[in-house]
Amino acid sequence: MTASRRNGLSGNRLNIVADENIPGLENWFADLGEITLAPGRSLNKSQLMEADILLVRSVTQVDAALLQGTSVRFVGSCTIGTDHLDTGWLNDQGIHWSAAPGCNANSVVEYVFCVLAALNVNWSGRSFGIVGCGNVGGLLQQRLHALDVSCKVFDPWLPDNPDAASLETVLQQDIICLHAPLVKGGPHPSLHLLDADALAKIKPGAVLISAGRGAVIDNRALLALLTRERNFTTVLDVWENEPDIPLGLLEKVDLGSPHIAGYSHDGKLAGTRMIREALDRALHLSPPQPDDAAVAGQRGAQQVLSSDESGFSAVRSLLLQMYDPRQDDRRLRDVALRALSGGEPMAKSFDQLRKQYPKRLEFSHYRLVAENLDDAVRQQLAILGLV
């Protein structure tokens, strides 16, 4: 008996519709039936009428308008957030759903340290403020503790965090990292959490890194502030109104990227695997046994060559050899200039940058080949995941 018959779904095989940008689909879902790929941002109901399973990323709004009257019985989002899923409606309809919390947490944390390397900001002796201490913020907090770096955390959902502090206190730290999900209602909304008043509390010389959800910052207020004065460094990976991002704000920030902080190859594959595991639990299926080396991972497949520098300069050089976010910044600014000159619309280019994003491996894929590094540098690199 096939999986679909065991679980009361129509036909002998499952019909799967998936965002074309989800990697590893063949490895993790081909055993279940036919996979139809589609652009995630333009998915519509007509494509889902006969579908049993819908697999998306964060660009697809999944709600009654998309699914009412279709045969979809499981929705899997291969991303960490759920603000694009109408989970209440899905629950009312008896449609199983799952996201992949934590799948790309390590990727985002590595992004943060590489951003600081690109900015030539040494984190030793600095204080961090973390807004949102879930999977990503929590992992960043762990790394900072291991590096003996001070941090304060604002997360009203986690009042017992040992580093808990007020938002005002967090915004007074040297490096502020935003990793909060987008919450529009309830007791602790995060929509425009950093409004004009909050942004004004960031101290001069600080670094602000936003790599959670774009609307946690009021982008209009940030643009107005940066137009008046640029007394702190601003790094935005996420934006309001993606993919049609505010080009005026891009012009003012120090580093910008097209929502790719969590876009490591490892993180994407982990999200696909986690959704297959959730599907198996929901529909009582048997898991596949993928043997693709790309899914299993190849540790030590790459090498990082040593620099002739020492201390933070050596750490910085090695991190940027693995991933340099300034390249993402250049690509984003290039397409913005073309859009302003009457070329491809920014929204389309933004999505293309994400779709065609270069394969980025996490630090654990690399092997340090160096004999001249001191123990302190080696320890930092080991904490960050480079072996």
Side-chain angles (χ1 to χ4, degrees):
M1 183 178 292
T2 65
S4 53
R5 286 188 184 278
R6 282 202 309 270
N7 293 281
L9 296 174
S10 61
N12 293 328
R13 300 278 281 168
L14 298 178
N15 292 321
I16 303 166
V17 175
D19 186 313
E20 62 188 2
N21 292 329
I22 299 174
L25 288 169
E26 287 296 321
N27 298 91
W28 290 106
F29 289 92
D31 63 306
L32 297 178
E34 180 182 355
I35 302 173
T36 301
L37 302 180
R41 206 176 290 277
S42 59
L43 266 170
N44 59 71
K45 182 181 293 189
S46 66
Q47 297 168 291
L48 302 174
M49 295 306 296
E50 303 299 324
D52 299 305
I53 297 170
L54 172 61
L55 304 176
V56 299
R57 292 186 61 82
S58 59
V59 300
T60 303
Q61 294 296 317
V62 181
D63 51 20
L66 182 67
L67 294 186
Q68 185 75 59
T70 73
S71 57
V72 171
R73 294 293 175 265
F74 179 89
V75 175
S77 181
C78 302
T79 57
I80 62 174
T82 60
D83 51 277
H84 56 298
L85 306 180
D86 187 341
T87 57
W89 183 84
L90 293 172
N91 289 335
D92 290 344
Q93 300 302 308
I95 299 175
H96 298 284
W97 62 271
S98 181
C103 67
N104 65 357
N106 191 62
S107 174
V108 179
V109 171
E110 291 184 353
Y111 165 88
V112 168
F113 284 102
C114 286
V115 160
L116 294 174
L119 296 171
N120 201 16
V121 174
N122 187 347
W123 46 83
S124 296
R126 303 290 184 101
S127 62
F128 274 69
I130 301 173
V131 178
C133 205
N135 289 295
V136 176
L139 182 59
L140 176 59
Q141 182 187 26
Q142 292 175 29
R143 295 270 166 84
L144 293 172
H145 283 171
L147 291 166
D148 198 26
V149 174
S150 170
C151 64
K152 298 294 183 182
V153 168
F154 176 75
D155 192 327
W157 300 99
L158 300 171
D160 296 329
N161 189 297
D163 297 317
S166 67
L167 179 60
E168 184 172 0
T169 297
V170 165
L171 294 178
Q172 282 295 300
Q173 306 310 304
D174 299 318
I175 301 166
I176 304 155
C177 299
L178 307 184
H179 303 297
L182 182 60
V183 180
K184 296 183 179 180
H188 304 299
S190 64
L191 176 64
H192 289 182
L193 181 65
L194 268 66
D195 58 11
D197 290 340
L199 290 166
K201 292 181 171 68
I202 298 175
K203 69 179 184 181
V207 178
L208 175 65
I209 303 173
S210 181
R213 287 293 185 264
V216 171
I217 297 179
D218 182 337
N219 282 202
R220 286 177 180 262
L222 179 59
L223 175 58
L225 177 61
L226 296 179
T227 300
R228 291 195 306 271
E229 54 183 354
R230 297 176 65 176
N231 60 2
F232 58 81
T233 300
T234 307
V235 180
L236 297 186
D237 178 59
V238 290
W239 315 74
E240 285 199 88
N241 301 318
E242 294 178 14
D244 193 15
I245 68 171
L247 298 184
L249 182 55
L250 172 60
E251 183 182 350
K252 298 294 184 182
V253 303
D254 296 272
L255 283 176
S257 49
H259 200 152
I260 48 72
Y263 255 38
S264 72
H265 189 60
D266 308 67
K268 291 180 182 180
L269 291 175
T272 307
R273 172 183 55 78
M274 290 171 68
I275 291 303
R276 174 57 198 262
E277 291 170 350
L279 175 65
D280 292 341
R281 291 191 298 270
L283 302 185
H284 309 292
L285 305 178
S286 299
Q289 300 296 325
D291 56 7
D292 190 328
V295 174
Q298 292 181 314
R299 302 302 175 199
Q302 305 290 319
Q303 290 186 347
V304 175
L305 302 178
S306 174
S307 71
D308 294 329
E309 300 174 275
S310 60
F312 178 71
S313 293
V315 174
R316 176 176 185 263
S317 171
L318 292 164
L319 292 186
L320 294 177
Q321 288 179 51
M322 292 183 288
Y323 166 54
D324 189 342
R326 292 173 299 187
Q327 296 176 359
D328 292 323
D329 178 81
R330 283 192 290 270
R331 283 190 286 265
L332 185 59
R333 292 183 195 276
D334 284 346
V335 299
L337 285 173
R338 289 198 290 272
L340 289 170
S341 301
E344 199 86 83
M346 188 63 205
K348 185 173 182 179
S349 295
F350 188 92
D351 277 345
Q352 283 296 109
L353 287 175
R354 288 162 57 84
K355 181 178 180 179
Q356 299 171 359
Y357 191 65
K359 184 176 181 179
R360 184 173 111 217
L361 299 175
E362 294 183 4
F363 296 171
S364 58
H365 285 269
Y366 292 83
R367 182 165 60 89
L368 182 61
V369 180
E371 298 179 357
N372 60 331
L373 297 178
D374 60 43
D375 290 342
V377 170
R378 288 183 179 276
Q379 183 180 14
Q380 278 207 56
L381 293 171
I383 290 169
L384 294 176
L386 177 61
V387 296

